[in-house]
Structure formats: C-alpha cells, structure tokens
Amino acid sequence: LHSYIEYIYLFDAVYTNEVAAPTSAWNDVASKSINSLNNNVSELWFGAKDNIYALNNIINSADEVLPAGQEKDEIIAQALAIRSYLRFQLLNWFGNFPLAFGIKANENATQASQQEILTSIESDLNTATSSLPDTWQNGENYFTKNTALFLLARVKLFNNDWQNVLELANM
C-alpha cells in the first residue's frame, strides 16, 4: 500500500506538471494525452482495486481473526479510511466504477452511480472516525480522526454539500 500511495502522488504530480516526467513512459501523463491502454493509467486502476480488495479482506475477516477491543476497532477504522481514500481517488480519476465489498477481483459487482460511491465513502469515513484516535503513539503515519474528517470534508465539497463542508471545517 505504501508504494502505491507514493505512485498516486507521483502520477498526480506528473499529470499536473508539478514534476517533470521521470522517464519517457510518463510523457503521455505529463502531456495529458493518456488513454486506458497507458500502463501508468492501468497501474492507477489495478493498484487501487487490488488494495481495495486487500482492505475488504481485512474488514470482512477482522471479527474472525482479531480479538474484540480497541486495537481491532482501530485496525478496521484504518482499513475503512484507506478504502475511502482509494475509492475517492478512483472516482476523481475514472468517474463511476463498480463498488466491490468482497475480496475477489472477479466478483460480479455492478457499476455504481456517483451518489452510491459517495454514500459508501461517507459511510466508511463516518464509521472510521468513531474509532480513530486523535494522535498515534510514536508519531506513526496512520489515519487520525482529523485526517478522516478532512477527507470527509473533501468528499462533501466534491458533492457540493456546502453546509456540511462548513460544519466539518469548523470542528
């Protein structure tokens, strides 16, 4: 997941011309002349989907493999927050996509509407914020409650839900 997050930042930076294309394979991204056959675009799509399936596995199996308690709740909250981030990225890059909650890439998920995707993201983030701490010990780089709330505000902004954006910004 860590290397994929770095890839997301690189893709965005090259696409917005904040950094130069690191190799000629990135020239289409830098010039914004990419299509679905571009390897960098495929990496964005399949990397996000693979990570979402792994996160679904964590979320779906947590009750069976983790003892009840705060640590389990925090692990699930992290998985929900990261899944929300990846789904929001997919929505921004590709538009509507199938919402998968299972652990297999070949599951028969149907195309979801933008509203269904946003509702799912908001639900995951609302659930996550109830178990995420304000800070992590040792300065760990995990989602905190405020990070999840910030992402929720961005989702609300994307959805033109100005009143809730204002409320979240004032928390």
Side-chain angles (χ1 to χ4, degrees), residues 6-117:
E6 289 176 351
Y7 186 83
I8 290 171
Y9 287 121
L10 176 61
F11 188 95
D12 283 344
V14 172
Y15 186 80
T16 59
N17 297 312
E18 290 178 32
V19 299
T23 67
S24 61
W26 286 86
N27 288 345
D28 288 348
V29 175
S31 67
K32 297 171 186 58
S33 58
I34 51 180
N35 61 39
S36 62
L37 300 177
N38 181 283
N39 287 336
N40 294 309
V41 172
S42 293
E43 178 62 28
L44 272 181
W45 176 260
F46 290 109
K49 296 299 281 185
D50 290 346
N51 280 295
I52 288 170
Y53 288 119
L55 293 162
N56 288 347
N57 192 19
I58 292 167
I59 295 163
N60 294 339
S61 64
D63 287 335
E64 297 170 14
V65 298
L66 296 171
Q70 181 180 355
E71 183 178 7
K72 177 181 113 176
D73 294 343
E74 288 174 350
I75 289 170
I76 293 170
Q78 285 293 306
L80 289 168
I82 296 166
R83 181 173 76 180
S84 296
Y85 170 75
L86 292 174
R87 285 182 170 166
F88 191 55
Q89 293 293 89
L90 284 175
L91 183 61
N92 278 287
W93 291 321
F94 300 104
N96 300 351
F97 58 90
L99 263 180
F101 293 95
I103 60 172
K104 296 181 181 177
N106 62 355
E107 73 177 41
N108 292 326
T110 59
Q111 185 85 344
S113 69
Q114 177 176 309
Q115 194 55 52
E116 289 170 322
I117 295 166

